[in-house]
Amino acid sequence: MDYAQLKPFPKDFFWGASTSAYQVEGGWDADGKGLSVIDVNTKAPPGTTDFKVAADHYHRYAEDVALFAELGLKAYRFSIAWTRIIPDGDGEVNPAGVAFYHALIDELLARGIEPIVTMYHFDLPAALDAKGGWGSRETVDAFVRYARVLFEEYGPKVTYWLTINEQNMMILHGDALGTTGKAGESGKRAVYQQNHHMFLAQARAMALCHELLPEAKIGPAPNIVSVYPESCAPADVIAADDWDAVRNLLYLDLAAHGHYHPLAWAYLAERGWEPEIADGDLDVLASGKPDFIAFNYYSTQTVAASRGDASDLQVRGSDQQIVRGEIGLYRGAKNPYLPTNAFGWEIDPVGLRTTLRRLWDRYRLPLIITENGIGAFDTLEDGAVHDDYRIDYYRRHIEQIHLAVSDGVDVFGYCPWAAIDLISTHQGCSKRYGFIYVNREEFDLLDLARIKKDSFGWYQKVIAGNGVDLA
Ligand code: BG6
């Protein structure tokens, strides 16, 4: 629908930006931090850095937050590294790690920036992984204990909590993300048992949050894409619905309604991958009620009916944004209407409006976009980064959010990925996302200086005008 006059963005809209601990902080073993699966499992692809130093935000957070304030951020979405708080996942609490996030949160609050805290962003403590990771119910208990520490420590300062970042991508692409861990080697059945345990952990954390912090708000943070059928052939539409159920609705229904989506369950049962559900699990799942849905959006996916043979599978390897296909379920299709970025990810701003509308329609929970952005090989020339492609990307996505607001969708924030350059999950630091350039290369740390990109000045104006002026 077109509008003669758009509704304004809400006046307290969270114009924000995002990062995650292991991708931005560095200080991988500083001040008693334990090792995570990222520290021990991830084999950096040839030619790309590891996560040991990253953007060195651990040591430069004050300078970074000052820049975020200059940018005008109303909210900053970051994650807490479980291994800084409880180095082995379920043992002693590490006071230095706790102090670091107090200092970061205090710095944000002092500058009027709302902290939005992700409790777990891919970096499971390695010690828990060695004991079975998410395959073990003990990890559920460990997560709930960790959640309690976070709520008790930071609850008086933090209102907005996100449970688990992109649980769906850890399940579907754990190999690429470095999160699969030991248990992931034993096949899909084990992976979907891990998934079930993560759902239990999430539900218990949401219930605990409401019990301890009645004013707080908590929600899940999956990666959600609208799925398009390649054509109007009914079989393509069925394939799109099926993949939507397995990729998106499985995670959203569990979080929002506390039960398995029937079509997703039928998929698991058909393959013999349905998890064991212990006595009491269904009650636990039903007890976790989110206050909002956060989701990460990079693109849409287009699929066609499976041909029932290996040609359904794409050979491009694993990546959280590229459709792979699955025999008997769907095959990936190219959307001829969409351009791609330098890494083959399709760019679909209108798909963000579609996704917002669908989520609002189905769940009627307030929505916040906690990631959206374009990875690019930015270049520093004469002290400047002219990332007009990033400005164009954001402009076109914000236009669509504005339309969704006019459509009646309750969306209360937008946190692009990323506030500052950081390390990509599996493609090094040359794949840059930030509004702020970090002067380092894959293996040469240079001076790690912070340099404002052109997109910084542009987003600053957008925020100052509450999304009205996107020029
Ligand atoms: C999301 C993750 O999947 O996409 C982030 O939550 C990640 O951690 C982002 O960095 C971009 O992906 P990538 O692989 O380019 O870093």
Side-chain angles (χ1 to χ4, degrees):
M1 196 187 335
D2 297 333
Y3 296 97
Q5 182 86 41
L6 292 179
K7 275 196 210 158
F9 279 96
K11 76 172 174 3
D12 48 1
F13 191 76
F14 281 154
W15 294 102
S18 283
T19 62
S20 87
Y22 81 92
Q23 294 175 270
V24 76
E25 285 177 1
W28 67 292
D29 63 350
D31 302 328
K33 179 182 170 295
L35 301 184
S36 74
V37 292
I38 301 294
D39 296 316
V40 303
N41 289 345
T42 305
K43 293 169 215 63
T48 64
T49 180
D50 57 26
F51 297 90
K52 288 194 165 76
V53 177
D56 198 30
H57 176 72
Y58 185 73
H59 298 108
R60 296 166 195 247
Y61 71 90
E63 176 189 354
D64 292 342
V65 174
L67 283 164
F68 300 164
E70 185 183 337
L71 179 56
L73 293 190
K74 308 284 185 211
Y76 173 51
R77 181 252 184 172
F78 63 97
S79 77
I80 290 184
W82 187 342
T83 50
R84 282 199 202 284
I85 305 294
I86 306 175
D88 65 0
D90 61 358
E92 296 287 306
V93 172
N94 172 30
V98 171
F100 170 69
Y101 293 107
H102 271 300
L104 173 61
I105 292 167
D106 289 347
E107 200 71 33
L108 292 166
L109 293 175
R111 293 173 180 279
I113 302 173
E114 186 77 38
I116 300 178
V117 174
T118 314
M119 299 162 67
Y120 162 47
H121 190 124
F122 297 164
D123 48 357
L124 182 72
L128 290 183
D129 188 50
K131 291 194 275 183
W134 285 110
S136 161
R137 283 174 180 260
E138 285 174 21
T139 298
V140 178
D141 294 335
F143 183 78
V144 177
R145 178 168 170 266
Y146 163 61
R148 179 179 284 277
V149 174
L150 298 188
F151 296 148
E152 287 177 350
E153 282 292 338
Y154 309 118
K157 303 174 180 178
V158 171
T159 303
Y160 293 89
W161 297 89
L162 311 175
T163 52
I164 300 178
N165 180 71
E166 295 195 354
Q167 179 177 329
N168 53 343
M169 296 301 96
M170 287 194 274
I171 294 305
L172 294 164
H173 299 289
D175 44 355
L177 298 172
T179 56
T180 301
K182 283 163 65 88
E185 284 151 24
S186 28
K188 288 277 199 182
R189 174 112 210 230
V191 168
Y192 279 104
Q193 190 67 44
Q194 295 174 21
N195 197 35
H196 181 66
H197 294 158
M198 281 192 235
F199 286 134
L200 293 172
Q202 169 166 272
R204 286 177 59 190
M206 292 197 291
L208 183 66
C209 180
H210 291 133
E211 180 193 322
L212 298 179
L213 307 170
E215 303 300 315
K217 296 179 188 302
I218 188 163
N223 177 307
I224 300 299
V225 300
S226 285
V227 181
Y228 301 151
E230 184 185 31
S231 77
C232 50
D236 286 350
V237 177
I238 288 288
D241 284 355
D242 288 349
W243 180 231
D244 188 33
V246 171
R247 189 197 187 282
N248 299 318
L249 302 183
L250 167 58
Y251 300 87
L252 291 164
D253 271 23
L254 246 315
H257 299 321
H259 55 68
Y260 276 86
H261 186 275
L263 187 49
W265 186 264
Y267 160 84
L268 295 174
E270 167 67 19
R271 282 158 170 69
W273 297 341
E274 69 272 48
E276 277 170 27
I277 299 201
D279 284 352
D281 282 3
L282 296 179
D283 292 337
V284 170
L285 294 176
S287 73
K289 299 267 182 271
D291 301 290
F292 60 85
I293 292 175
F295 69 102
N296 300 344
Y297 173 87
Y298 287 88
S299 190
T300 47
Q301 293 189 345
T302 303
V303 307
S306 161
R307 290 185 194 157
D309 60 40
S311 72
D312 285 344
L313 308 174
Q314 294 199 356
V315 289
R316 279 192 281 174
S318 182
D319 188 290
Q320 67 268 47
Q321 225 38 65
I322 291 178
V323 281
R324 262 202 295 209
E326 184 174 329
I327 298 171
L329 190 71
Y330 75 103
R331 56 190 285 126
K334 183 162 168 39
N335 188 325
Y337 301 101
L338 302 179
T340 50
N341 72 16
F343 298 87
W345 294 17
E346 288 175 335
I347 299 174
D348 186 4
V350 176
L352 177 54
R353 182 183 182 190
T354 313
T355 305
L356 284 161
R357 286 158 54 129
R358 288 182 181 179
L359 291 182
W360 176 243
D361 201 30
R362 188 174 173 91
Y363 298 105
R364 285 290 196 278
L365 282 166
L367 302 169
I368 179 167
I369 300 143
T370 39
E371 287 184 31
N372 173 238
I374 182 167
F377 295 107
D378 297 341
T379 49
L380 180 65
E381 284 167 281
D382 301 327
V385 179
H386 301 303
D387 56 341
D388 47 313
Y389 38 87
R390 183 165 292 109
I391 293 171
D392 181 62
Y393 180 97
Y394 284 137
R395 178 186 294 123
R396 294 196 295 125
H397 283 80
I398 292 171
E399 279 168 1
Q400 295 300 321
I401 301 169
H402 203 171
L403 283 162
V405 168
S406 300
D407 292 333
V409 176
D410 181 356
V411 51
F412 67 98
Y414 179 58
C415 296
W417 184 267
I420 183 167
D421 283 350
L422 35 65
I423 314 298
S424 146
T425 56
H426 59 289
Q427 287 166 307
C429 75
S430 311
K431 185 186 195 185
R432 292 174 184 270
Y433 281 96
F435 292 107
I436 300 164
Y437 185 91
V438 174
N439 192 34
R440 63 160 291 178
E441 293 169 355
E442 294 292 347
F443 302 107
D444 189 339
L445 293 175
L446 304 174
D447 59 6
L448 290 159
R450 278 48 178 154
I451 296 150
K452 292 172 245 172
K453 302 182 191 176
D454 288 357
S455 57
F456 184 103
W458 176 83
Y459 193 43
Q460 191 179 44
K461 278 199 286 171
V462 171
I463 296 174
N466 201 28
V468 173
D469 181 9
L470 304 183

